[in-house]
Amino acid sequence: MPSHQPWYHDNITRSKAEDLLSKAARDGSFLIRDSESIQGAYALCVLYQNCVYTYRILPNEDKKLSVQASEGVPIRFFTMLPELVEAYHSPNMGLVTHLQYPVQREEEVEEEQESNNHPPQLPPRNFTADGKESESKTSEQATKSLLDTYLTRLQHIDLSTLSEEHQMAVQEYFTSSICLDADQVQNGNPNLPGLKKLILAVCKNLNSEISRILPALEVFHRALDQQLSPGIGPKPILADSGQSMSSRLEQLTKLLYSIEDKAKSSVFEAVGYDGGHRKSLIPVVLFEVKQESLGISTKMVLKVDVESGKIYFKKSKDGPEDKYFVHNKILQLVKSQKMHTKLVIVVETEKEKILRKEFVFDDRKKREGFCQLLQLMKNKHSEKPEPDMITVFVGTWNMGNASPPGDINSWFHCKGLGKTRDDTANHIPHDVYVIGTQEDPLGEREWSDIVKNVLRKITNISFKQVAIHTLWNIRIIVLAKPEHENRISHVFSDSVKTGIANTLGNKGAVGVSFMFNGTSFGFVNSHLTSGSEKKL
């Protein structure tokens, strides 16, 4: 146990430590707490650019302490914590920034304020060599620069279209209230009270109008909801006037989108409209192979016709098609483990005789593509009520706050890093598509429409949206083939914030889980700061 130090916080939780650092709101603020997972170890928590970075302080066999910092920085050992803290006040020690401002325990700060009648002390200032208060000066310069920027922009904007009341509200904010908001942020309050006041003033009539129309939309939404039996279900959710304006607008927008989707779904289903697209047709695919017989290698062509449910054995591309097997006569595919291009096809003849035909493909991907086509063919023509196998496409994309290019079709054809598919299997649509995006600038509806349109274009299938969940600019969307709609149940989605003090959603994760018949699926899309501190 280290001796009493202002920066040592004993066994406080990680979230409490992050909360204290967020209140300090100064780069270089730090504290040390006991590790929650390793006995005898500590956690060094440092604030930098509104993010809390945590480094483990581990003891070795001789009970000397070292910090797990950046790779490439020599490891240094210290006998006591104060010695370690003193060393890491120096820059370039492997931390995100050097230690500058120790954060005291909350009870110590309260005791200091109660023990004397003097006003509370200002936070320590960083004096330069000539005695000027550089931090205060920098802060004032930043606020003035912010004010000048927006006043200049305002001069080039025509405000004549606004009412006199709104003109005064906007001008008042950019001439004075924005400075007060900047001061609030520097003091650890990120709520921007001046901005909230402006939005309430401008949206005064909108707020009352939302309160008036939301109940009617809720009732309409309930009537369209096919999952509810008549007279059963939750009561309409009326908006709370205490909500922020952005929350109420988001609620209204989502409700309108949901009403539109449910109405389209009901009407389309009633009249048998499939979106104007034909069913997906898988083209015929040819595979050039070699057949070994009595030590002699013979070239052959395997023709797979998924739609008719037949596989043809031909001596050449243009040869006769008199020798074929129907899907229910293909009994087994046996992949050679020693030779990754070899495949044995077990078939049943008309006389109920079992034959084993051995083929060698050009490469492993060709063999895999052939097997996937045959599996699709058997599923398509199977008399079983449920599929034996489904495929799932999982994609992740950090969009960098930029809109997607006009054509993203190729992404949905990509083969990924797992079980790669041959080009011949590119046109086989997956059963489920799961797309995770980070730093996504689009709205939920806009991104959902883009993905659906791309899938409709490349597969001729109108995929159904299973779920979509967004946390700030982190999003996950799950879509499935229409025939699987009744096989999917127990859909849940949620999010976890891991931004500063675990309250900001600029970092974190979104997840969706569901049941496909008797199999559970779960997908998590995360966008975290560097390191593994927030994984759990």
Side-chain angles (χ1 to χ4, degrees):
M1 180 70 68
S3 58
H4 176 75
Q5 296 291 342
W7 35 257
Y8 178 62
H9 288 246
D10 200 48
N11 59 352
I12 65 168
T13 63
R14 181 180 64 185
S15 60
K16 180 64 176 176
E18 292 176 346
D19 186 45
L20 289 172
L21 286 165
S22 67
K23 289 178 180 177
R26 305 173 80 191
D27 287 352
S29 298
F30 72 96
L31 61 84
I32 293 178
R33 59 176 175 82
D34 292 343
S35 172
E36 294 176 307
S37 55
I38 302 176
Q39 186 72 27
Y42 304 97
L44 170 61
C45 306
V46 185
L47 182 72
Y48 182 66
Q49 293 186 353
N50 292 331
C51 290
V52 176
Y53 295 82
T54 303
Y55 303 90
R56 281 179 173 170
I57 302 175
L58 301 174
N60 63 6
E61 294 177 355
D62 300 325
K63 295 190 176 180
K64 289 193 174 181
L65 304 170
S66 63
V67 177
Q68 285 188 330
S70 301
E71 293 183 10
V73 178
I75 299 176
R76 296 183 59 182
F77 293 94
F78 304 90
T79 308
M80 303 290 289
L81 274 178
E83 181 187 356
L84 180 149
V85 170
E86 182 65 30
Y88 280 88
H89 271 84
S90 303
N92 304 319
M93 291 288 287
L95 304 183
V96 65
T97 185
H98 60 289
L99 307 183
Q100 297 179 66
Y101 311 112
V103 175
Q104 298 183 19
R105 294 170 178 250
E106 283 188 325
E107 59 265 27
E108 291 177 359
V109 175
E110 290 170 4
E111 286 172 7
E112 285 179 13
Q113 292 180 2
E114 291 172 3
S115 63
N116 58 75
N117 295 323
H118 299 292
Q121 290 185 338
L122 293 171
R125 291 180 176 147
N126 181 19
F127 288 90
T128 56
D130 60 2
K132 293 180 180 177
E133 299 175 355
S134 62
E135 186 178 315
S136 175
K137 182 178 178 182
T138 304
S139 172
E140 290 174 5
Q141 287 175 341
T143 303
K144 187 177 185 304
S145 174
L146 184 69
L147 194 65
D148 291 344
T149 298
Y150 285 111
L151 285 176
T152 302
R153 290 182 188 175
L154 208 58
Q155 289 174 0
H156 294 87
I157 297 175
D158 181 13
L159 301 181
S160 62
T161 55
L162 304 183
S163 67
E164 185 178 348
E165 179 186 1
H166 288 173
Q167 281 187 39
M168 291 177 62
V170 171
Q171 288 171 338
E172 190 275 332
Y173 181 74
F174 286 119
T175 53
S176 62
S177 293
I178 194 170
C179 299
L180 299 176
D181 278 351
D183 291 340
Q184 289 285 329
V185 172
Q186 287 170 346
N187 291 327
N189 177 14
N191 292 325
L192 305 183
L195 179 63
K196 285 188 174 181
K197 181 181 176 183
L198 170 66
I199 291 175
L200 283 174
V202 172
C203 301
K204 182 171 57 177
N205 295 333
L206 178 61
N207 201 27
S208 60
E209 188 65 14
I210 290 176
S211 298
R212 190 179 70 83
I213 64 174
L214 263 179
L217 291 176
E218 287 281 3
V219 170
F220 188 44
H221 184 262
R222 278 194 78 215
L224 288 168
D225 197 337
Q226 298 174 353
Q227 295 178 357
L228 295 178
S229 300
I232 301 176
K235 294 180 180 179
I237 303 170
L238 301 183
D240 177 10
S241 58
Q243 286 179 296
S244 69
M245 178 56 63
S246 57
S247 298
R248 304 193 74 195
L249 282 172
E250 182 181 11
Q251 181 184 3
L252 178 63
T253 304
K254 284 186 174 181
L255 190 58
L256 287 170
Y257 282 151
S258 179
I259 287 172
E260 184 180 342
D261 287 340
K262 287 180 184 295
K264 279 184 177 179
S265 177
S266 298
V267 175
F268 286 5
E269 186 176 341
V271 300
Y273 180 71
D274 64 355
H277 292 272
R278 61 182 174 83
K279 289 185 177 180
S280 175
L281 295 177
I282 306 299
V284 172
V285 183
L286 302 178
F287 293 87
E288 293 184 352
V289 296
K290 292 179 181 178
Q291 185 176 26
E292 302 285 342
S293 178
L294 302 175
I296 301 174
S297 179
T298 307
K299 288 185 177 181
M300 289 193 66
V301 173
L302 300 181
K303 176 182 174 181
V304 182
D305 188 342
V306 173
E307 299 301 328
S308 69
K310 296 176 182 177
I311 175 174
Y312 296 84
F313 295 70
K314 302 170 61 173
K315 291 184 178 180
S316 65
K317 287 184 179 180
D318 302 323
E321 298 185 348
D322 53 344
K323 194 171 185 179
Y324 66 86
F325 292 89
V326 183
H327 62 90
N328 57 358
K329 298 296 182 180
I330 303 168
L331 305 181
Q332 192 177 16
L333 301 178
V334 182
K335 299 177 184 176
S336 169
Q337 298 299 315
K338 293 181 180 179
M339 188 174 176
H340 294 157
T341 57
K342 184 183 289 186
L343 180 72
V344 175
I345 305 176
V346 182
V347 295
E348 181 184 350
T349 66
E350 292 180 358
K351 298 179 180 180
E352 298 186 352
K353 184 180 178 180
I354 305 300
L355 296 179
R356 291 172 58 89
K357 294 185 174 289
E358 189 175 290
F359 301 98
V360 177
F361 289 75
D362 289 343
D363 55 48
R364 186 175 185 170
K365 289 184 181 180
K366 292 288 184 188
R367 185 184 76 171
E368 190 62 39
F370 176 84
C371 292
Q372 288 182 351
L373 280 171
L374 256 64
Q375 182 67 50
L376 178 68
M377 181 173 71
K378 289 185 74 66
N379 283 345
K380 189 178 183 72
H381 297 278
S382 172
E383 295 178 358
K384 295 180 181 179
E386 301 301 332
D388 294 326
M389 179 187 76
I390 64 170
T391 64
V392 181
F393 177 96
V394 179
T396 177
W397 183 5
N398 188 316
M399 301 175 73
N401 291 313
S403 296
D407 186 353
I408 57 173
N409 297 358
S410 60
W411 187 38
F412 293 91
H413 284 313
C414 74
K415 301 172 185 62
L417 302 175
K419 207 172 195 180
T420 55
R421 305 203 297 178
D422 177 62
D423 291 340
T424 53
N426 270 352
H427 44 256
I428 302 177
H430 294 276
D431 295 273
V432 178
Y433 287 80
V434 184
I435 309 297
T437 52
Q438 309 88 40
E439 299 180 23
D440 184 343
L442 306 181
E444 275 190 356
R445 180 59 174 270
E446 185 180 6
W447 177 236
S448 173
D449 285 347
I450 288 174
V451 176
K452 287 178 182 177
N453 289 337
V454 169
L455 292 179
R456 190 181 297 119
K457 182 177 180 181
I458 64 178
T459 68
N460 288 308
I461 298 174
S462 295
F463 276 76
K464 297 286 187 178
Q465 182 173 298
V466 175
I468 188 168
H469 199 91
T470 304
L471 172 67
W472 287 30
N473 287 16
I474 309 167
R475 177 173 298 138
I476 187 169
I477 182 172
V478 179
L479 301 112
K481 285 182 176 178
E483 61 260 34
H484 297 322
E485 193 170 17
N486 294 328
R487 298 179 175 122
I488 294 175
S489 63
H490 299 81
V491 181
F492 295 99
S493 65
D494 207 347
S495 61
V496 175
K497 300 172 183 176
T498 65
I500 194 163
N502 290 334
T503 58
L504 290 186
N506 61 322
K507 300 291 182 181
V510 289
V512 170
S513 66
F514 57 87
M515 294 289 291
F516 189 102
N517 288 339
T519 304
S520 60
F521 287 83
F523 303 92
V524 176
N525 170 36
S526 63
H527 185 44
L528 308 175
T529 51
S530 59
S532 58
E533 180 71 19
K534 300 288 187 180
K535 277 199 304 185
L536 290 179

